[in-house]
Amino acid sequence: GCLRHHPDYVTMFRCFVFFVLACGLLGSVSVGSSLSAYQRARPFPSFKSRSPLTSRRSGSPLFSSASVPVPVQDAEERFVPSQLPTYTETYRAIAVTSLTLLQDSLLGAIDSSCVGIRSSLELAAMTPAVQIVDTAAYFCTFLYSSTIALYGKNLALKNMEGAARVLSNSLWLAVGLGILLTATLLQTSYPILTRIVAGKYSADVIPAALSYCQIRSLGMCFGLLALSCKAALMGRRDSVSPFLATLVSSVVNLAGDALLIFGFNWGIRGAAW
């Protein structure tokens, strides 16, 4: 639809460059997550106590502590590395993780495709609206990486209480940030759109884009909660469940777009819901 109504090749080239850079970044993040999960699977060396360190001349202890923990490297406690994953398993993990991280982009692409079939004006309104909503969500992507790292570390140390506390804090933080983003987008969407969309004819897309931003902002809490849950599953080395959740959400979004956009004739508002 964009190529048929607005053939801007410079914008197409910029989008292609951004897409290539985004794929490279997501691939790097996926490889790093896979290596971190493998590193967390390694057992930690145990510690035992020995007598305090003493001076060679006087024989007095150098430290006031009763014991000094030192790592033990006994033959039975030495780390024996497990078998490394094959290239096929590594590529499969990267593909599954990348698709999981691209959920918001997939949902936006489905919405744009369905809206573009119905109206070129609403399709033009999708671009600034999706940029505003996705940019606001990108500020909270630290929840994903921090939850994976802290939750996986506590699980590797067999600290179930700490892992539960990390997950609880992540979920509450997702709710708080979701409420904050919802309130912020409801108040600032119109001023931002007036600055992004310029020109006498381009101003016609502002009402449609504003409705999309305001409706999408109502689901920020649920989106961040899903992000925290996916991070927890990744920390448990379960990449299949987030992948299936992404596929199911994409299919449900496509069915909902078809029903609300074409069935109830809601247009861009139906895509936002």
Side-chain angles (χ1 to χ4, degrees):
C2 288
L3 294 179
R4 185 171 65 250
H5 297 286
H6 306 284
D8 189 351
Y9 297 103
V10 176
T11 304
M12 290 169 51
F13 177 74
R14 291 176 180 174
C15 294
F16 174 74
V17 172
F18 176 76
F19 177 75
V20 172
L21 294 177
C23 289
L25 179 61
L26 289 175
S28 302
V29 172
S30 302
V31 173
S33 301
S34 301
L35 293 178
S36 299
Y38 171 73
Q39 185 70 20
R40 289 194 299 269
R42 297 174 58 183
F44 290 84
S46 58
F47 290 85
K48 292 184 179 180
S49 301
R50 69 177 185 183
S51 59
L53 298 177
T54 57
S55 174
R56 293 184 179 180
R57 295 182 179 180
S58 62
S60 60
L62 297 178
F63 300 96
S64 59
S65 59
S67 62
V68 178
V70 295
V72 179
Q73 297 295 336
D74 298 335
E76 68 274 10
E77 294 181 351
R78 290 177 183 174
F79 169 69
V80 179
S82 58
Q83 185 179 1
L84 292 175
T86 61
Y87 285 108
T88 303
E89 294 173 347
T90 303
Y91 292 148
R92 186 185 300 114
I94 291 174
V96 169
T97 308
S98 300
L99 183 59
T100 302
L101 295 176
L102 286 172
Q103 179 179 7
D104 291 335
S105 300
L106 288 174
L107 297 180
I110 292 173
D111 292 343
S112 300
S113 301
C114 295
V115 170
I117 297 175
R118 182 179 182 272
S119 171
S120 60
L121 178 63
E122 292 182 346
L123 177 62
M126 285 290 298
T127 301
V130 172
Q131 287 180 354
I132 293 174
V133 175
D134 289 347
T135 302
Y138 289 155
F139 284 113
C140 301
T141 52
F142 69 91
L143 276 175
Y144 187 82
S145 56
S146 59
T147 303
I148 287 180
L150 297 176
Y151 188 73
K153 178 181 178 181
N154 283 277
L155 288 179
L157 294 174
K158 307 298 182 182
N159 185 9
M160 300 303 174
E161 181 180 356
R165 184 169 59 252
V166 169
L167 182 57
S168 176
N169 293 337
S170 177
L171 294 176
W172 279 111
L173 186 59
V175 172
L177 289 175
I179 295 175
L180 179 62
L181 287 179
T182 299
T184 303
L185 288 175
L186 289 176
Q187 295 295 326
T188 61
S189 294
Y190 182 77
I192 295 175
L193 285 172
T194 54
R195 293 181 178 272
I196 293 178
V197 180
K200 180 176 64 175
Y201 300 101
S202 300
D204 296 335
V205 306
I206 290 180
L210 180 61
S211 63
Y212 184 86
C213 289
Q214 291 178 343
I215 295 174
R216 277 287 303 272
S217 65
L218 300 178
M220 281 295 177
C221 282
F222 303 102
L224 294 181
L225 283 173
L227 186 67
S228 297
C229 293
K230 289 181 180 180
L233 290 173
M234 288 290 184
R236 298 178 66 90
R237 293 182 292 175
D238 180 11
S239 59
V240 178
S241 298
F243 174 73
L244 294 177
T246 302
L247 288 181
V248 171
S249 63
S250 300
V251 173
V252 171
N253 183 51
L254 180 60
D257 285 348
L259 177 63
L260 298 178
I261 294 175
F262 305 109
F264 293 106
N265 200 24
W266 285 5
I268 193 172
R269 295 184 294 108
W273 285 109

